[in-house]
Amino acid sequence: MASTDDTGQITRHASQPGTTPPARPPADSAAPGARMPRWLPRAMVLALALIASFQLGSWAFHQLTGLLINVLIAFFLALAIEPAVSWMAARGMRRGFATFLVFLGLVIVTAGFVTLLGSMLAGQIVKMVEGFPDYLDSVINWINESFRTELRRVDVQEGLLHSDWLRKYAQTSAAGVLDVSAQVLGGLFQLLTIGLFSFYFAADGPRLRRALCSVLPPSRQAEVLRAWEIAVDKTGGYLYSRGLMALVSGIAHYILLQALGVPYAPVLGVWVGLVSQFIPTIGTYLAGALPMLIAFTVDPWYAVWVLVFVVIYQQFENYGLQPKLTSKTVDIHPAVAFGSVIAGTALLGAVGALIAIPAVATLQAFLGAYVKRYDVTDDPRVQGHRTRGTSGPGLFARAWTQWTRRPRPGESEAPEEGSA
């Protein structure tokens, strides 16, 4: 007799004759599609490794941004002095010694300029401190005469010395001395880094080019060497043309300041020449501010004359002198130069503003060799002259014709042909 379960249903333990019992799936097997693919763990590890590498590279780039900017400045400085070094090396002088002489000349000129400028500023500060009582007396007398007051210089001086503003300013200045010292040391270390890198780039220029070309096929080596040569020509030409314009500008402003009797005219002429040429966009205004200030201490009208001369000379330089000097060295459109300076400033700050023009000139000259150019047709529209079409007169001509053909008051229109 067959056994029954709790629900009263009959369970058959044996299969029917002539049939095969179905295979029972293993108890420990998972449902179809639930097993993890073998490639998924490796893909996850690879993705995590890529993310970690990107984060590490981004962190390292931000940490080394200062060093990379210094190397970039050093590279362009080495390109700028490359013609002078190569000229001396071609005449039998060792390349390292030639580079040392060029750097020695730059250091002497820079140190002399800084020394003269520092002595001028120190002399003006001493002069202003010595003349401060007289200036204060003149201001107090004007206030007493204008506002009917009875101020005295002694009271004003005591009020300034015992004021809370002066005490807070002294405390803030004392606390900021350490920060200023750290910034000065950091600036000196940065200059040393730039000088060392630029010296190695200029002295070992042939070895650096040989090492770079050794990892490239012969077809690419010629392009790299050509790009390097263009960069040297454009950067050196930019530096030398700016130096020549700085010389002309310095001599012109020196003559004016000397004629007006402004003190420290030679140093001020050098200041105007260098700052106006090697600081793009705002260099002219920074250069003219200091001579105007010194001239104002002599005579306020002298400051006005200096301002007028600066404006006139800037127009002469922009439209007469600069196109002639830079036509064969850095021949780029003024709008392109201005835009490149703005873009360089946005990317790298003051460093980008300095190297933007030679970098764009190098890129323009290099790409110009790979752009095919054609002869331009003799169409008047190329020169900006518009040609009238064959469809009839223009809009204004037709309007004028209709206006002149209108019947005047008291005149009747002529009858049309064929009308009664």
Side-chain angles (χ1 to χ4, degrees):
M1 183 174 181
S3 61
T4 60
D5 56 2
D6 297 335
T7 60
Q9 296 180 353
I10 301 174
T11 50
R12 298 181 179 181
H13 298 281
S15 61
Q16 297 180 359
T19 60
T20 305
R24 179 179 294 181
D28 57 344
S29 64
R35 178 179 297 178
M36 180 182 297
R38 296 181 179 179
W39 55 268
L40 185 58
R42 289 180 291 180
M44 294 178 61
V45 172
L46 181 60
L48 293 176
L50 290 177
I51 294 174
S53 301
F54 176 78
Q55 294 293 335
L56 181 61
S58 178
W59 173 81
F61 178 79
H62 286 292
Q63 294 295 323
L64 298 176
T65 300
L67 178 61
L68 295 177
I69 292 177
N70 292 338
V71 172
L72 183 62
I73 299 173
F75 179 71
F76 272 92
L77 181 59
L79 293 179
I81 66 175
E82 176 76 17
V85 174
S86 299
W87 182 82
M88 287 188 287
R91 282 156 179 78
M93 189 178 299
R94 294 184 58 183
R95 193 173 182 88
F97 186 67
T99 307
F100 171 75
L101 290 180
V102 173
F103 270 91
L104 181 62
L106 291 176
V107 170
I108 291 175
V109 172
T110 304
F113 173 70
V114 172
T115 302
L116 291 176
L117 185 63
S119 63
M120 180 195 68
L121 293 178
Q124 290 299 318
I125 291 174
V126 171
K127 184 178 178 180
M128 291 177 62
V129 170
E130 292 177 352
F132 180 75
D134 297 332
Y135 293 147
L136 187 59
D137 287 337
S138 62
V139 172
I140 291 175
N141 293 332
W142 179 81
I143 293 175
N144 291 333
E145 294 176 359
S146 301
F147 301 99
R148 305 297 181 181
T149 57
E150 296 181 355
L151 295 177
R152 295 184 303 173
R153 188 177 69 182
V154 178
D155 298 336
V156 175
Q157 290 178 348
E158 290 181 355
L160 289 175
L161 292 176
H162 296 87
S163 61
D164 295 335
W165 172 82
L166 184 61
R167 188 181 302 107
K168 292 180 180 179
Y169 179 78
Q171 293 175 358
T172 305
S173 301
V177 169
L178 184 60
D179 296 336
V180 173
S181 302
Q183 292 179 0
V184 170
L185 292 177
L188 292 176
F189 179 75
Q190 186 176 4
L191 289 177
L192 179 62
T193 304
I194 294 173
L196 288 176
F197 274 107
S198 57
F199 180 85
Y200 290 138
F201 286 153
D204 293 341
R207 186 182 303 176
L208 181 61
R209 288 189 288 270
R210 190 178 298 109
L212 183 61
C213 292
S214 63
V215 297
L216 298 174
S219 59
R220 299 294 181 183
Q221 293 179 10
E223 296 181 2
V224 170
L225 294 177
R226 185 175 180 277
W228 193 294
E229 184 180 1
I230 292 175
V232 169
D233 293 339
K234 295 300 179 180
T235 307
Y238 173 76
L239 179 64
Y240 298 143
S241 61
R242 287 290 173 177
L244 185 57
M245 286 191 294
L247 179 62
V248 176
S249 177
I251 292 175
H253 288 83
Y254 163 74
I255 294 174
L256 172 69
L257 297 174
Q258 189 68 27
L260 294 176
V262 178
Y264 305 102
V267 183
L268 291 175
V270 176
W271 164 265
V272 173
L274 292 179
V275 175
S276 63
Q277 300 304 322
F278 291 98
I279 298 181
T281 309
I282 62 173
T284 302
Y285 308 103
L286 293 178
L290 184 60
M292 288 175 55
L293 180 62
I294 303 301
F296 185 82
T297 60
V298 179
D299 191 342
W301 284 105
Y302 287 175
V304 177
W305 284 110
V306 171
L307 176 61
V308 172
F309 182 80
V310 167
V311 173
I312 294 176
Y313 180 82
Q314 184 65 27
Q315 301 304 316
F316 163 72
E317 180 183 282
N318 291 337
Y319 297 101
L321 183 62
Q322 183 174 351
K324 294 182 180 296
L325 293 179
T326 61
S327 60
K328 296 182 180 180
T329 55
V330 188
D331 189 13
I332 59 177
H333 195 272
V336 178
F338 183 71
S340 63
V341 169
I342 294 178
T345 305
L347 292 175
L348 298 176
V351 177
L354 290 175
I355 67 177
I357 294 180
V360 171
T362 302
L363 182 61
Q364 177 181 347
F366 183 72
L367 295 180
Y370 297 95
V371 177
K372 187 176 181 180
R373 299 183 181 272
Y374 301 92
D375 295 333
V376 181
T377 60
D378 296 333
D379 195 320
R381 289 173 293 184
V382 176
Q383 304 297 331
H385 304 297
R386 297 183 60 188
T387 57
R388 183 173 297 177
T390 59
S391 60
L395 177 61
F396 292 102
R398 291 196 300 269
W400 175 256
T401 303
Q402 294 295 331
W403 175 266
T404 54
R405 289 181 179 179
R406 287 192 345 172
R408 298 180 181 179
E411 296 182 357
S412 59
E413 296 183 358
E416 298 180 358
E417 297 181 358
S419 62

